[in-house]
Amino acid sequence: MTLFEGLRVISFEPPALSEPMDVAAASPGEAGAGTIVETGLGLAAKYPGAKRVRGAYLSPGLVCAHTHLYSALARGMMVDILPSKDFAQQLRHLWWRLDRALDLPILEASALAGCAEAALCGVTSLVDHHAGPEAIDGSLTVIRQAYEEVGIRGILCYETTDRNGMEGARAGIRENLRFAREIDADRASGRRPLVDAAIGGHAGFTVGEETLASLAEAMRSTGRGLHIHAGEDKFDAVDSRYRYGQDLVQRLEAAGCLGPKTIIGHGVWLTESELGPLNASGAFLAHNARSNMNNAVGYSALLHRVANVVLGTDGMSADMLEEFRFAAFRHRESGGPWWPGDFLRCLDRGNRLMERYMGAPVASGSGAFGRVIAGAVADLVLWDYDPPTPLVGGNIAGHLAFGLSSRSIRSVMVAGSFVVEDRVPAFDAEAIAAKARKEASRLWERMERS
Ligand SMILES: [Zn+2]
């Protein structure tokens, strides 16, 4: 048991700041394992054996709703990359060369490095979208092991695509199904895995009708949602209308691929007529402001009309507060109507996504994510923050946009266990970084030869 004593609790949605209070979180193996068992005052007498932790502020952990751990070793890449005139060339010149060069040891190093960085940034749930066409079988289990070594939660899938031939597409579907069954078997035997499975597709323009139908069938048979890029670049939206005579969302809807567990990556080029079916389905749209800016794919004037916007990094650094700030600032620059508080709601909404996949982790708890209440998952961040202006419920988004940053993170807890405590990671961060540098060099060499 861990007892956080006398801290003010920051709630993101609705934004609120509590008076000093105690929060008791159960460790693995105890009653209520992995959840918050009680909040209130004077809990020290009730839990005399608990580890006592003091600090300034406690908040729910952060959720990254869309990333690519396979790109973690691209940082500072020294490979001869042809200049690209557009997004499709960028995929061919860089990202598809990178994913073809991945083998399982490189993937393991990349996933560990990405998960470690996320944990240090207070990200307790990380939703990954994986591609690696030369090493598909078993890849999601390699990524899962990295999540478990670092100790964070996530939802994993393989980006099924036709771009490497139909056998490659079938291998992608197989890996998604295999992994969903692996998780189901664990749950059936009473274990509570930190990760769940989604069904992955790369993007509308690389997934033909046969593969889209197979993805829909995989969703139905596993009870999972589709995680796919749609309308990241204008090319994807144009291709859908040109080849299939339908907008992307209508095409996904017709195939049976929209639903409350579906995650659409980017959606920069979705049009007015796609908002209705998207919002009615309950699907999430993962907005990745920094990546969209870096790839110069444009900005959606409709973002504020999407019901379930969540925030992701798309493989940029794992810092979700930085992502939140870019999202808010880029939106202000576009002249859109949202304020930082609206993006705080988007950041918090990643918890609803986690609940739809992983809700009710213990029989006694509500299974809520993103709440510091009894029964919610004990995914928490302890902040050292000494602001120069008053911090109150009404200005939390302002402090996040203009002050609070990941350098204020002191400790991070996932499912009742510290993954970072007093700024010291519980995992071997130095070994993870050393392994990543070694495998990064090998990855770059393999890319250079491709
Ligand atoms: Zn992406």
Side-chain angles (χ1 to χ4, degrees):
M1 186 75 69
T2 301
L3 184 63
F4 297 94
E5 279 188 293
L7 302 105
R8 290 179 190 270
V9 170
I10 298 173
S11 301
F12 294 138
E13 177 57 27
L17 186 70
S18 78
E19 291 301 315
M21 61 189 277
D22 300 343
V23 176
S27 308
E30 296 176 323
T35 65
I36 295 167
V37 290
E38 191 171 358
T39 65
L41 287 172
L43 297 186
K46 194 167 174 186
Y47 302 101
K51 172 187 221 162
R52 295 166 76 166
V53 175
R54 291 192 156 270
Y57 298 98
L58 189 70
S59 81
L62 305 174
V63 180
C64 171
H66 179 80
T67 195
H68 302 281
L69 287 168
Y70 70 77
S71 69
L73 304 186
R75 186 186 305 184
M77 180 185 290
M78 295 175 73
V79 176
D80 200 10
I81 305 284
L82 285 172
S84 302
K85 293 180 178 173
D86 56 40
F87 183 66
Q89 278 197 329
Q90 212 164 324
L91 292 175
R92 285 183 190 282
H93 293 169
L94 172 57
W95 296 111
W96 292 353
R97 275 176 75 196
L98 184 149
D99 72 21
R100 275 196 304 274
L102 293 172
D103 57 23
L104 293 182
I106 294 173
L107 173 62
E108 181 195 8
S110 192
L112 278 168
C115 286
E117 190 194 20
L120 288 162
C121 291
V123 173
T124 51
S125 294
L126 185 59
V127 180
D128 190 54
H129 197 226
H130 174 58
E134 300 300 321
I136 298 176
D137 295 348
S139 57
L140 296 179
T141 298
V142 170
I143 299 175
R144 173 189 180 173
Q145 286 161 355
Y147 275 74
E148 288 172 348
E149 185 170 333
V150 170
I152 60 171
R153 293 184 203 269
I155 301 170
L156 315 185
C157 71
Y158 185 84
E159 294 180 18
T160 305
T161 178
D162 294 348
R163 72 182 154 91
N164 302 300
M166 293 311 286
E167 182 40 44
R170 283 188 283 273
I173 300 276
R174 269 202 311 275
E175 178 63 4
N176 281 302
L177 288 172
R178 182 198 68 74
F179 188 66
R181 290 182 190 127
E182 176 183 309
I183 298 297
D184 289 345
D186 270 15
R187 286 187 177 148
S189 65
R191 285 191 286 272
R192 292 198 299 273
L194 282 173
V195 299
D196 198 0
I199 301 300
H202 168 245
F205 71 100
T206 73
V207 172
E209 294 299 76
E210 182 186 333
T211 302
L212 196 61
S214 300
L215 288 167
E217 176 51 33
M219 287 170 61
R220 279 191 292 275
S221 68
T222 62
R224 266 55 172 214
L226 182 65
H227 186 178
I228 189 168
H229 292 135
E232 177 173 6
D233 183 66
K234 189 173 186 179
F235 178 80
D236 194 20
V238 171
D239 177 76
S240 182
R241 289 191 281 272
Y242 181 73
R243 281 203 290 162
Y244 305 104
Q246 284 177 308
D247 285 326
L248 284 158
V249 167
Q250 274 80 5
R251 187 173 168 235
L252 291 172
E253 184 185 34
C257 287
L258 281 189
K261 289 184 174 178
T262 295
I263 308 161
I264 305 278
H266 301 277
V268 176
W269 289 89
L270 299 189
T271 51
E272 182 97 23
S273 60
E274 292 168 272
L275 295 178
L278 178 70
N279 289 342
S281 74
F284 294 91
L285 188 144
H287 176 56
N288 310 276
R290 287 180 299 173
S291 169
N292 291 345
M293 292 165 76
N294 185 47
N295 288 329
V297 291
Y299 192 79
S300 172
L302 301 174
L303 184 69
H304 65 282
R305 293 175 52 198
V306 175
N308 287 331
V309 177
V310 288
L311 302 184
T313 62
D314 205 33
M316 308 285 280
S317 84
D319 189 331
M320 286 309 293
L321 292 187
E322 188 171 85
E323 192 65 49
F324 159 86
R325 276 191 282 275
F326 271 74
F329 298 157
R330 179 65 186 87
H331 188 80
R332 297 307 303 151
E333 187 186 49
S334 79
W338 271 0
W339 288 91
D342 297 291
F343 284 98
L344 182 56
R345 203 167 294 124
C346 297
L347 180 61
D348 173 74
R349 195 175 286 116
N351 289 295
R352 306 292 85 71
L353 170 59
M354 293 308 297
E355 284 168 358
R356 286 187 197 172
Y357 277 83
M358 303 185 75
V362 289
S364 58
S366 67
F369 279 70
R371 304 275 181 269
V372 184
I373 56 171
V377 296
D379 293 7
L380 300 163
V381 177
L382 182 66
W383 306 85
D384 282 329
Y385 187 48
D386 195 12
T389 58
L391 172 63
V392 295
N395 68 8
I396 286 170
H399 276 269
L400 259 66
F402 303 107
L404 192 64
S405 77
S406 59
R407 75 187 154 88
S408 301
I409 291 171
R410 190 209 291 181
S411 299
V412 181
M413 173 177 273
V414 180
S417 296
F418 281 108
V419 295
V420 179
E421 188 171 8
D422 291 329
R423 299 182 183 267
V424 178
F427 46 88
D428 192 342
E430 284 181 21
I432 287 172
K435 182 193 268 195
R437 285 190 294 272
K438 183 166 151 271
E439 294 295 338
S441 301
R442 206 163 64 76
L443 170 67
W444 299 355
E445 281 166 24
R446 285 166 64 93
M447 287 178 69
E448 202 68 86
R449 288 200 301 270
S450 68

